[in-house]
Amino acid sequence: MSNEAVAARSRSMAVPEAIVALSGRLLRVEHRAIQGLMFLLSALILLNVVTRYSGYPIYWIDESAVYSVVWLTFIGASAMTRMRLDFAVTMLTERFSERGAAIFRVIATLGVILFGIALGVMCWLWLDPVGIAQAGFDAREYAGQSFNFIYTERTQTLNWPTWVIYLIMPIFAVSMTLHALANLFEDLGLVARQELPGFAANADGVVN
């Protein structure tokens, strides 16, 4: 094999390796975020019980707990995608040969990637960062022009801008797509299967 061919092969392998490495770093961040959100959720529930029992309930705790669960769910779903712990139906694929199961695993992973890309496009159209920028980041002017009131709405008790809460959707779309790409490169044999320290062992033998 010539030096040019070796160099071209090295360049072609650099992208999958970079994506897998980036996915691994993101997974570690998600691990910490999951731990933090679980601690926060437990603390909010405990505080809610104590304040209600004492006769001085804090009105914004319920909403805070709900949003904590929402963020925890999406971040956890993204991490589960990389760990291959997402749900899978194996009644058909478990009867295939090893090669057939591998092919369907690639197909399933491609489906996850397409879903992540579609969700990302939907979030782009929904949040419309270009439109709000063209309006000078004036939420009222943007709402009047586009009839998109996402930047003028606020949460009921916390009085936070709702778009801050909704940011988990595009974050999830990007992170899930990145993890699915890493899984795809592993399934295609472009990158060696990675160990995921700090998490449960991968679920083998399933199409996910």
Side-chain angles (χ1 to χ4, degrees), residues 82-103:
R82 182 64 181 102
M83 294 185 292
R84 303 173 186 269
L85 295 176
D86 43 346
F87 294 102
V89 178
T90 61
M91 290 187 298
L92 178 64
T93 56
E94 66 187 4
R95 292 173 171 79
F96 289 167
S97 64
E98 183 177 347
R99 177 176 174 80
I103 293 173

Side-chain angles (χ1 to χ4, degrees), residues 63 67 152-163 165:
E63 189 174 51
Y67 293 142
T152 59
E153 296 176 348
R154 306 187 74 85
T155 60
Q156 293 182 355
T157 58
L158 293 170
N159 199 32
W160 289 357
T162 56
W163 66 267
I165 307 298

Side-chain angles (χ1 to χ4, degrees), residues 6-30:
V6 172
R9 178 175 176 81
S10 298
R11 287 192 297 269
S12 65
M13 295 298 293
V15 173
E17 290 175 353
I19 289 178
V20 171
L22 182 59
S23 174
R25 296 189 187 97
L26 177 59
L27 187 61
R28 287 190 286 272
V29 172
E30 290 173 337

Side-chain angles (χ1 to χ4, degrees), residues 80-132:
M80 288 175 64
T81 299
R82 182 64 181 102
M83 294 185 292
R84 303 173 186 269
L85 295 176
D86 43 346
F87 294 102
V89 178
T90 61
M91 290 187 298
L92 178 64
T93 56
E94 66 187 4
R95 292 173 171 79
F96 289 167
S97 64
E98 183 177 347
R99 177 176 174 80
I103 293 173
F104 272 82
R105 186 180 298 111
V106 169
I107 294 173
T109 304
L110 287 171
V112 175
I113 293 172
L114 291 176
F115 174 78
I117 293 174
L119 180 61
V121 172
M122 185 201 73
C123 290
W124 179 272
L125 297 175
W126 178 36
L127 296 173
D128 193 14
V130 175
I132 188 65

Side-chain angles (χ1 to χ4, degrees), residues 129-142:
V130 175
I132 188 65
Q134 291 176 343
F137 298 99
D138 186 328
R140 294 184 180 276
E141 181 179 348
Y142 172 74

Side-chain angles (χ1 to χ4, degrees), residues 160-172:
W160 289 357
T162 56
W163 66 267
V164 175
I165 307 298
Y166 296 150
L167 278 179
I168 188 57
M169 295 294 292
I171 292 173
F172 171 67

